[in-house]
Amino acid sequence: MRLSFYPGCSLEGMANDYARSIDTVFRDLGIDLVEIEDWSCCGATAAHSLSQTMSVVLPARNLAVAEKMGLDIVSPCAMCFNRLRFSQNMIRKKVFDIPWHVTGELRVHDMTRFMAEPSMIKSIKKRVLKPLNGLRVVCYYGCQMVRPPKITGYTDYENPQTLDRIIATTGAQVIDWSYKSTCCGASIGIARREIQESLTRRILQKAQQAGAEAIVVSCPLCQSNLDIIQKDRSDRCTPVFYFTELLRLSFMESGASKLFKMHFADPVSLLKAKRLL
Amino acid sequence: MQNIISGLNQAHEHVPGKKRKLIGDRGDFFLNRMQGETGVNISACYQCERCTNACPVSHFMDIKPHQAIRYVQLGWREDLLKSSTIWICLSCEMCTTYCPNEVDVAEIIHHLRNMAVHSSITPKEKSLAVFHQTFLEVLRKSGRINELRLMNAYYLKPDILHERIKNNILKEDLLLGMALLRKGRLKLFTPKFRAIKEIKKAYSQTRGEIV
Ligand code: SF4
Ligand code: SF4
């Protein structure tokens, strides 16, 4: 299977460990990811905030290139996924002039939903070498991947299941909780840190109260918010994994602690205690 | 008359005795304009406050989301553009998702933000507004966002550095930056990027420049 891959800016910088784990996992699953040639930023919240036209035009550039390649897009970042879908929606309404030839007919997959399809779950199950037994986690989805449902296409936006299903396949114990899609504060932390920290801290607390030893996410911004807030904490820390990191771990005979060196909330001791490293 | 819309004044600085704010001869002009530009049926709002209850940051806002919708209906444009609401909003889309009348509250707030930057009104949350602006500038220059470059550009904006020193967050930021660097989470160089020409052109087109 071949798909075009739109990594997004975070995967080159803050989340380059996510990018590497995606590479490994998709190679192991035998899916060919072709990076969209010469892709550019989707504009994120800033474009949407300051210029509606740019918020349609910027993602459209990448859609146009992918359409030329003729491959459906898969996007690991929740924000990029949301923006690409939004742009497609607007392109189909034909109220903006797009400087490139683009129809908006490609399918844009969010990576978790793509991996949670029954056929993929089956092939993941086949690949698991070392089940992550005994690891108790909660899955955190954030906003942009599930909302607004009209754009993302999630019907279970109140209690999404994609990550839960994927992680359950690796043998980890997935705990149900109520804060799956509560906002983590997103990029407001750069200008108004206290707002972001109050939101992020609440999610962290609720995860711990639910009995989780780790949080599983798929959004680079959620990961850095939840991770960085724990940077000065040495006692009860709750590591924040990208779901592909756990998949990669379960695909390996024995993991290596250097794979997790980009984390602030250190996962190594937890994984060692569970005999997973 | 006094009581009909009195609930709105919790956040709005209406002082008794002062002349009550009226819709004036602007009539429905602003409402119609907003509805036309966003494609949202704003008149459908019946003030159930579900949007505000769903909003994770409504307590940091001066005009609550449901009030913002009412203000649009009343044509109180300047109050909206001056508010902190339009900058505090996180675009988390809770309001839009839970509105029983399909009023796309988040989109309306975005649109007000759009209007605010194209008006002469100084944004109430300047640091947030400047951040968005810096983001777009960096994007225009390099086509992709590099976190380090973004933060540098942000600090070089007038008043931002000063404000950060005053609020004592500069040291924290520097420490965080160092920690991120050590962890290898910052990219130091952006590779030369070929599509930049197209992006620059798109930018100038949206500003109405012809070449
Ligand atoms: S949820 Fe919808 S109808 Fe209710 S107050 Fe908000 S915008 Fe109005
Ligand atoms: S999109 Fe904005 S106004 Fe709506 S719930 Fe989220 S933060 Fe509140």
Side-chain angles (χ1 to χ4, degrees), chain A residues 126-251:
Chain A
K126 270 194 226 135
R127 281 285 319 176
V128 175
L129 275 181
K130 182 187 55 180
L132 308 180
N133 290 335
L135 190 66
R136 275 179 296 132
V137 301
V138 287
C139 295
Y140 175 64
Y141 295 76
C143 314
Q144 303 295 331
M145 191 161 96
V146 292
R147 280 191 305 266
K150 255 195 205 151
I151 285 178
T152 62
Y154 269 71
T155 45
D156 51 359
Y157 55 85
E158 287 199 320
N159 187 8
Q161 293 296 333
T162 54
L163 280 176
D164 290 53
R165 249 181 277 150
I166 298 167
I167 296 304
T169 318
T170 67
Q173 186 194 346
V174 183
I175 303 171
D176 212 13
W177 66 318
S178 318
Y179 284 74
K180 279 184 177 174
S181 59
T182 312
C183 186
C184 72
S187 62
I188 204 173
I190 289 163
R192 290 287 300 271
R193 184 159 307 151
E194 78 283 9
I195 298 184
Q196 182 241 313
E197 287 191 345
S198 68
L199 296 178
T200 311
R201 196 159 286 136
R202 188 177 57 171
I203 290 167
L204 199 63
Q205 259 169 18
K206 295 292 173 183
Q208 286 165 347
Q209 278 167 16
E213 294 161 327
I215 304 176
V216 181
V217 299
S218 72
C219 168
L221 195 53
C222 301
Q223 202 274 348
S224 60
N225 277 349
L226 285 164
D227 200 17
I228 288 172
I229 205 173
Q230 303 182 65
K231 76 175 175 338
D232 300 321
R233 210 189 279 188
S234 48
D235 51 326
R236 236 192 124 192
C237 72
T238 311
V240 188
F241 294 107
Y242 292 111
F243 74 106
T244 44
E245 286 185 303
L246 286 188
L247 282 180
R248 177 175 59 181
L249 187 64
S250 71
F251 289 180

Side-chain angles (χ1 to χ4, degrees), chain B residues 87-165:
Chain B
W87 298 107
I88 295 281
C89 168
L90 300 164
S91 322
C92 74
E93 308 276 354
M94 283 294 273
C95 46
T96 302
T97 306
Y98 290 101
C99 174
N101 295 325
E102 300 204 351
V103 179
D104 194 340
V105 186
E107 188 56 38
I108 292 161
I109 292 181
H110 277 136
H111 200 72
L112 289 167
R113 233 186 237 185
N114 260 260
M115 281 183 164
V117 280
H118 293 111
S119 76
S120 58
I121 292 173
T122 325
K124 185 147 181 201
E125 296 285 340
K126 197 160 164 230
S127 50
L128 281 165
V130 172
F131 174 66
H132 290 309
Q133 201 196 331
T134 318
F135 191 100
L136 281 195
E137 282 170 12
V138 173
L139 175 48
R140 180 173 184 274
K141 268 195 217 121
S142 50
R144 290 180 197 169
I145 295 295
N146 173 334
E147 290 92 352
L148 195 60
R149 256 177 101 166
L150 175 62
M151 285 317 286
N152 287 345
Y154 182 55
Y155 270 113
L156 291 177
K157 291 278 164 193
D159 296 349
I160 296 295
L161 188 62
H162 181 75
E163 193 198 290
R164 299 232 140 190
I165 294 172

Side-chain angles (χ1 to χ4, degrees), chain A residues 5 17-33 111 114-115 120 123-125 127-128 166-167 170 242-252 259:
Chain A
F5 181 55
D17 49 345
Y18 189 20
R20 269 178 274 127
S21 62
I22 290 171
D23 253 15
T24 321
V25 167
F26 275 76
R27 205 170 341 107
D28 284 352
L29 291 173
I31 296 168
D32 216 359
L33 286 187
M111 187 171 274
F114 173 73
M115 304 269 271
M120 289 297 291
S123 57
I124 292 174
K125 205 174 237 159
R127 281 285 319 176
V128 175
I166 298 167
I167 296 304
T170 67
Y242 292 111
F243 74 106
T244 44
E245 286 185 303
L246 286 188
L247 282 180
R248 177 175 59 181
L249 187 64
S250 71
F251 289 180
M252 291 192 294
L259 293 175

